[in-house]
Amino acid sequence: MTKSAAPKRHLPTSPFRAPATPTPKHFAMGDQVTHDVHGLGRVIGLEDGIAALVDFGSEQRRILSPYTKMTKL
């Protein structure tokens, strides 16, 4: 059985709580970050809520929002 890519819809009449929506993360130029795959890096560019350009030392990567694998240090 495969997992659907579409999020499940919460019905207002459901007896269960609606899943909490994560608050969007905001980064600023020069912030030190860690990424689950790429490791430690520094934000060197921003695209208004769309992506962040991060320098990981050996490479520069454009990380797309919602930044699920990236946290600010």
Side-chain angles (χ1 to χ4, degrees):
M1 192 164 152
T2 61
K3 187 175 180 180
S4 174
K8 292 187 178 181
R9 196 171 59 136
H10 179 74
L11 298 175
T13 57
S14 174
F16 303 103
R17 284 191 206 172
T21 56
T23 57
K25 296 180 185 177
H26 297 284
F27 297 101
M29 294 285 290
D31 282 349
Q32 275 194 314
V33 295
T34 182
H35 191 276
D36 292 348
V37 175
H38 304 293
L40 294 173
R42 184 172 300 274
V43 177
I44 59 171
L46 292 169
E47 297 175 26
D48 298 328
I50 299 170
L53 183 62
V54 183
D55 181 15
F56 291 105
S58 62
E59 63 182 343
Q60 293 181 358
R61 288 288 189 145
R62 184 173 176 253
I63 309 296
L64 298 176
S65 180
Y67 314 112
T68 55
K69 296 183 179 182
M70 191 165 72
T71 55
K72 183 177 176 180
L73 295 178

